[in-house]
């Protein structure tokens, strides 16, 4: 049976980052990335809807070890996918990816100090049933994110079967969907809707954004002024390209954290500032109170960035409308609202959100006993209480995903080196402080978070069990601080890391 020191699940941004850190910091380790789909890129390979782009700046969404240097701060999906593939190729990470390998189950064996893994290797499309694959791994690292790839969230609306047009979800965009000259209704007001609406308005007859309630939005430049400054003139001659990328990354990370802190501490002032910015972008007399004034404080839900104000430009030019109402029923010609108004539509896009799926849906057990993660705390937002040798990478809700995932990947590599140096077979977070109370894992007042709150682990009331939403605090605690701190327990002395398949797990065997 094959044995790996580390099995990484998922070949998206986080999986490629994990591969880099393992290559650079754990050259002794045997490892592979199992990817359920037939290509790398994760979100950026899956989402193919019009205008798909980053919802945060690429300097912080990009990798710390290969900074994004293009002056375009908000990049389109193809550019991001190319960046991920190029990074994986340059580091040789792409040679470690095993495509069409979906992990079905993982069971921890304390006796051997390994995870017993069962996977399914699907042949190319039309090639028959998947092949069962069994192997062991010393450490399991889930880089699958936290949403389902095979389906998004679509509410159960009345009358859908009566609708005579096309109903699509952005997560599964039809390649042959022709919307030129047709009337489109996009349901939703989150990042996906804000991306889709102006992109489709370029050629559609008319696009209506139908929202149940408004979202906080802010127009921002697609190009980064600080990046342009550091990559032109004297600065370009004096500052190495890599340093310019790192400086830009830190600038954007710090500024986003400062703005988030401002919104949390002074929500009324932040709301006034955001609303004034929106008013400047919209036609005179537009009802900002109804359509762009949310019921919650800024950053209680994720803020939507509108690059170069393209959504607002569509409203000014008359190609885009915003309707704030709730759906009564679908009709043959479109949607009837609870107000009694009707929206005609040839195409309805359900930009209604995600379905969350922790650990990629892997059935995890300990000594054959199924693991219930909902009863456990998380250590530094990357490991699960009383679960050995298992880590997961999830990003921030108030900043770029990759900022936290990069810190997590670095911490996993440091933990592996610590275990190898001490010849220890396992590391387990354990909370023995009775004063630590449990709270929801991600404190974001968003629909997809609320729907999945009972399926996720919990966070604690204080560090290291608390999930900080602060890159600066996490950088200090995870990157600069000792890796073995409160809550971690090493066990199984005499373990062998870097062993080959078939070799015993401990030196005494």
């Amino acid at each position: 049976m094959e044995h790996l020191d580390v099995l990484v699940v998922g070949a998206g941004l986080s999986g490629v980052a994990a591969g880099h850190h393992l290559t650079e910091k754990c050259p002794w380790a045997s490892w592979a990335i199992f990817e359920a789909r037939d290509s790398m890129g994760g979100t950026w390979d899956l989402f193919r809807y019009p205008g798909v782009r980053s919802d945060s700046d690429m300097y912080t969404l990009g990798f710390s070890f290969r900074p994004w240097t293009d002056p375009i701060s908000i990049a389109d999906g193809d550019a991001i996918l190319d960046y991920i593939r190029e990074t994986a190729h340059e580091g040789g990470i792409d040679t470690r990816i095993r495509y069409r390998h979906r992990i079905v189950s993982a069971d921890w064996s304390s006796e051997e100090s390994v995870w017993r893994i069962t996977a399914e290797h699907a042949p190319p499309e039309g090639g028959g049933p998947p092949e069962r694959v069994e192997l062991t791994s010393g450490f399991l690292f889930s880089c699958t994110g936290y949403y389902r790839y095979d389906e998004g969230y679509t509410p159960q609306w009345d009358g859908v079967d009566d609708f005579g047009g096309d109903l699509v979800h952005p997560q599964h965009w039809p390649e042959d969907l022709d919307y030129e000259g047709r009337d489109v209704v996009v349901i939703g007001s989150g990042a996906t809707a804000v991306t889709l609406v102006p992109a489709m308005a370029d050629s559609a007859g008319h696009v209506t954004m139908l929202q149940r309630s408004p979202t906080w939005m802010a127009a921002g430049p697609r190009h980064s002024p600080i990046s342009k400054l550091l990559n032109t003139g004297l600065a370009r001659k004096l500052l190495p390209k890599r340093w310019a990328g790192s400086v830009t990354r830190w600038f954007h990370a710090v500024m986003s954290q400062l703005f988030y802190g401002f919104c949390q501490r002074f929500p009324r002032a932040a709301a006034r500032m955001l609303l004034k910015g929106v008013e400047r972008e919209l036609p005179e007399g537009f009802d900002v109170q109804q359509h762009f004034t949310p019921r919650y404080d800024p950053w209680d839900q994720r803020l939507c960035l509108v690059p170069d104000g393209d959504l607002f430009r569509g409203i000014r030019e008359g190609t885009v409308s915003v309707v704030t109402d709730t759906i009564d029923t679908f009709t043959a010609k479109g949607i009837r609202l609870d107000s009694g108004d009707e929206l005609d539509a040839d195409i309805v896009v359900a930009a209604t959100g995600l379905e969350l799926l922790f650990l990629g849906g892997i059935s995890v057990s300990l000594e054959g006993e199924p693991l219930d993660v909902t009863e456990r705390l998380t250590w530094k937002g990357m490991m699960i209480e009383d679960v050995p040798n298992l880590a997961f990478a999830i990003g921030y809700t108030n900043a770029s995903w990759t900022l936290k995932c990069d810190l997590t990947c670095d911490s996993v590599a440091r933990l592996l080196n610590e275990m190898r140096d001490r010849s220890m077979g396992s590391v387990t977070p354990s909370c023995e402080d009775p004063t630590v109370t449990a709270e929801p894992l991600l404190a974001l007042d968003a629909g997809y978070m609320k729907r999945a709150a009972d399926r996720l682990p919990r966070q604690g009331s204080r560090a290291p069990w608390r999930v900080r939403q602060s890159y600066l605090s996490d950088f200090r605690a995870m990157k600069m601080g000792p890796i073995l701190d409160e809550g971690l327990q090493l066990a199984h002395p005499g373990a062998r890391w870097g062993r080959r398949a078939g070799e015993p797990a401990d030196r005494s065997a």
Side-chain angles (χ1 to χ4, degrees):
M1 183 178 293
E2 181 183 16
H3 175 80
L4 296 170
D5 289 312
V6 187
L7 179 55
V8 179
V9 190
L13 273 167
S14 306
V16 171
H20 167 83
H21 285 278
L22 289 171
T23 298
E24 295 296 316
K25 300 180 176 69
C26 305
W28 51 266
S30 60
W31 60 273
I33 299 175
F34 276 30
E35 169 57 53
R37 304 175 70 243
D38 58 7
S39 57
M40 77 169 73
T43 296
W44 304 106
D45 180 64
L46 175 68
F47 287 170
R48 303 294 178 90
Y49 57 82
V52 59
R53 64 194 181 197
S54 59
D55 64 348
S56 56
D57 70 272
M58 283 303 302
Y59 307 104
T60 53
L61 188 64
F63 302 111
S64 63
F65 52 88
R66 189 173 181 265
W68 178 268
T69 57
D70 196 298
I72 297 178
S73 175
I74 306 300
D76 62 43
D78 287 341
I80 300 170
L81 184 57
D82 288 344
Y83 170 71
I84 295 171
R85 288 173 173 169
E86 290 166 3
T87 303
H89 180 69
E90 286 182 10
I93 299 162
D94 54 354
T95 64
R96 304 287 194 105
I97 302 173
R98 302 184 191 181
Y99 294 108
R100 301 187 302 279
H101 277 71
R102 184 176 69 87
I103 297 186
V104 177
S105 64
D107 180 54
W108 173 256
S109 169
S110 292
E111 181 180 357
E112 299 177 82
S113 188
V114 297
W115 286 99
R116 292 191 167 275
I117 308 292
T118 300
E120 290 181 346
H121 179 204
E125 188 174 352
E131 172 192 0
R132 183 184 176 95
V133 178
E134 294 186 346
L135 70 155
T136 59
S137 179
F139 200 97
L140 185 61
F141 189 10
S142 175
C143 293
T144 59
Y146 51 47
Y147 71 87
R148 291 188 62 163
Y149 273 49
D150 59 341
E151 67 178 63
Y153 174 69
T154 304
Q156 298 299 308
W157 292 300
D158 291 335
V160 168
D161 293 338
D162 299 328
F163 179 52
D166 297 309
L167 175 61
V168 300
H169 193 286
Q171 197 161 322
H172 301 284
W173 194 265
E175 291 184 9
D176 59 350
L177 183 65
D178 181 13
Y179 54 87
E180 185 173 357
R182 304 175 76 188
D183 290 333
V184 180
V185 173
V186 177
I187 304 174
S189 59
T192 302
V194 169
T195 298
L196 268 168
V197 169
M200 297 185 76
D202 286 341
S203 58
H206 188 83
V207 181
T208 301
M209 186 173 79
L210 172 60
Q211 58 181 9
R212 183 173 52 188
S213 60
T215 298
W216 285 110
M217 298 183 189
R222 193 180 295 269
H223 291 73
S224 167
I226 185 68
S227 178
K228 291 177 69 174
L229 176 65
L230 294 176
N231 285 283
T232 56
L234 183 62
R236 184 174 183 176
K237 295 179 181 179
L238 298 177
L239 199 63
K241 188 174 182 179
R242 177 177 174 82
W243 287 12
S246 296
V247 169
T248 305
R249 190 172 194 266
W250 270 105
F251 174 83
H252 281 268
V254 170
M255 292 304 294
S256 67
Q257 290 289 284
L258 289 175
F259 181 66
Y260 174 77
F262 172 72
C263 291
Q264 293 291 292
R265 189 170 181 181
F266 306 105
R268 292 184 178 179
R272 287 195 298 270
M273 183 177 71
L274 289 169
L275 288 176
K276 283 188 177 297
V278 170
E279 286 174 356
R280 286 195 295 269
E281 295 283 341
L282 293 170
E284 186 176 351
F286 190 90
D287 195 341
V288 175
Q289 176 63 37
Q290 180 179 2
H291 299 306
F292 285 99
T293 306
R295 305 166 187 168
Y296 57 91
D297 289 336
W299 269 118
D300 283 356
Q301 295 184 26
R302 195 172 176 90
L303 181 75
C304 278
L305 180 66
V306 184
D308 292 340
D310 55 6
L311 172 68
F312 305 123
R313 183 172 63 252
I315 295 173
R316 292 196 305 269
E317 294 174 351
T319 59
V320 171
S321 299
V322 179
V323 174
T324 304
D325 207 333
T326 50
I327 296 173
D328 173 29
T329 184
F330 274 65
T331 67
K333 295 183 178 181
I335 298 173
R336 185 167 66 241
L337 307 174
D338 283 331
S339 64
D341 292 339
E342 296 198 17
L343 298 176
D344 290 340
D346 301 306
I347 300 171
V348 174
V349 182
T352 45
L354 309 168
E355 286 283 9
L356 298 198
L357 187 67
F358 190 60
L359 299 180
I362 299 171
S363 176
V364 180
S365 56
L366 306 176
E367 309 291 352
E369 292 294 322
L371 172 66
D372 182 4
V373 298
T374 64
E375 300 296 322
R376 300 174 189 253
L377 301 177
T378 58
W379 178 82
K380 292 188 177 179
M382 58 170 280
M383 296 186 76
I384 303 172
E385 181 186 16
D386 296 332
V387 179
N389 293 20
L390 172 65
F392 59 91
I394 60 173
Y396 293 116
T397 58
N398 65 349
S400 287
W401 178 268
T402 321
L403 287 173
K404 176 62 182 288
C405 292
D406 185 71
L407 293 176
T408 298
C409 293
D410 178 73
S411 295
V412 166
R414 292 175 64 195
L415 277 175
L416 288 165
N417 281 327
E418 197 72 35
M419 284 191 286
R420 180 174 184 263
D421 292 345
R422 296 171 182 247
S423 298
M424 303 297 278
S426 68
V427 59
T428 308
S430 182
C431 183
E432 299 177 353
D433 185 348
T435 66
V436 176
T437 57
E439 302 174 7
L441 178 65
L442 299 171
L444 192 67
D445 187 26
Y448 63 94
M449 292 293 182
K450 292 177 179 178
R451 290 193 300 270
D454 60 348
R455 287 173 274 159
L456 300 175
R458 314 279 280 174
Q459 67 166 315
S461 53
R462 67 173 184 84
W465 309 102
R466 188 159 193 81
V467 179
R468 295 186 177 99
Q469 293 297 331
S470 169
Y471 177 62
L472 301 181
S473 297
D474 277 341
F475 188 90
R476 184 171 58 250
M478 299 175 71
K479 185 81 171 178
M480 308 303 293
I483 190 61
L484 295 179
D485 63 3
E486 177 188 350
L488 285 185
Q489 298 178 353
L490 293 174
H492 299 96
R496 299 182 63 182
W497 291 92
R499 63 189 175 95
R500 296 180 180 179
E503 291 183 332
D506 60 81
R507 291 172 175 166
S508 61

